Amino acid sequence: MSESPFRSEPSARDQAPQFVLPLVVRMERDAPPARTDALETAARAVLTILSDPRSLGEGEWAQAVRDWQDARIRKVVRRARGAEWRRAEALDGITVTGKSAEVRVFPPVPLDGWPKDLARLQVSGTELDDPEEPVAADPGAPVLWMSPEVEMSAGKAMAQAGHGAQLAWWELSDEEREAWREAGFPLAVRTADPARWRELTQSGLPVVRDAGFTEIAPGSCTVVAEHPALRN
């Protein structure tokens, strides 16, 4: 793509109708997911809907996905529990399950046209922790490196991880995409140390530069997507 859909500078994407990709994370009071698992599950959810037959060609979600990708790429993560989650699951979408996290992703909707059962869900409050330090990422697997310089809520970080996965997806060939999909979209989300972060942002790998709609300053580098097929 000739211009990044995540940059803060004005572009032709701003003139198109604006859509958003809704994601809902299950947040039961007695069993919240681990933060890193929630980020990884959100990233896999984005890849899952991008590769779903309903999002491709003449599929039932394809036009909405095209319209969304022609504008600014926006993702919003909301939280649900109990009856809220059951209502969300009844809507058209895909649930992706991690080790402790469940994330449901829905086809894109107009920015001001959320289904009522999703619109009433809260965006704030997605504060999550890792009960244990995440293990080192598999060197042979894709890694979405989060910035050590930008503080984000878990919901914001989930959206940013999804952005990073989407940029990597766009950069891959059809054969590389299919191999990743068939493997179940293995990936890790980790925070880079400062020295490594500086290297990553100058490496030529896909970089998410946030448009600054929420929480952080426009143009902030938030994620670098390191897929093995893109390392050279």
Side-chain angles (χ1 to χ4, degrees), residues 79-191:
R79 58 184 172 89
R81 63 172 179 261
E84 295 172 333
W85 176 255
R86 291 190 291 275
R87 285 193 293 268
E89 280 205 304
L91 299 176
D92 213 12
I94 305 169
T95 297
V96 176
T97 302
K99 296 174 184 175
S100 62
E102 289 181 75
V103 175
R104 189 161 180 84
V105 60
F106 304 87
V109 298
L111 198 58
D112 57 355
W114 285 67
K116 64 179 182 180
D117 283 331
L118 299 183
R120 62 169 58 124
L121 298 176
Q122 295 296 309
V123 176
S124 61
T126 50
E127 296 311 315
L128 300 171
D129 297 309
D130 282 314
E132 300 177 355
E133 188 73 19
V135 299
D138 180 347
V143 182
L144 303 174
W145 293 104
M146 307 297 291
S147 170
E149 301 170 352
V150 180
E151 291 189 11
M152 293 178 278
S153 68
K156 179 70 172 181
M158 288 170 69
Q160 297 298 301
H163 291 340
Q166 187 168 5
L167 285 184
W169 180 255
W170 283 340
E171 292 289 329
L172 298 175
S173 67
D174 290 343
E175 293 77 11
E176 291 162 345
R177 290 178 180 180
E178 182 61 18
W180 199 9
R181 187 191 67 79
E182 288 188 351
F185 295 123
L187 58 84
V189 176
R190 298 291 185 270
T191 299

Side-chain angles (χ1 to χ4, degrees), residues 26-109:
R26 187 175 186 179
M27 294 271 289
E28 300 295 344
R29 279 197 179 96
D30 59 347
R35 181 183 173 99
T36 295
D37 188 44
L39 269 60
E40 292 172 348
T41 304
R44 288 200 309 275
V46 170
L47 294 167
T48 299
I49 198 167
L50 287 173
S51 62
D52 191 280
R54 289 167 289 184
S55 299
L56 306 172
E58 299 303 315
E60 61 191 276
W61 299 342
Q63 187 60 56
V65 171
R66 284 193 292 269
D67 290 343
W68 169 61
Q69 293 191 108
D70 284 344
R72 292 286 185 180
I73 302 298
R74 300 188 190 209
K75 301 178 182 72
V76 173
V77 178
R78 297 177 184 253
R79 58 184 172 89
R81 63 172 179 261
E84 295 172 333
W85 176 255
R86 291 190 291 275
R87 285 193 293 268
E89 280 205 304
L91 299 176
D92 213 12
I94 305 169
T95 297
V96 176
T97 302
K99 296 174 184 175
S100 62
E102 289 181 75
V103 175
R104 189 161 180 84
V105 60
F106 304 87
V109 298

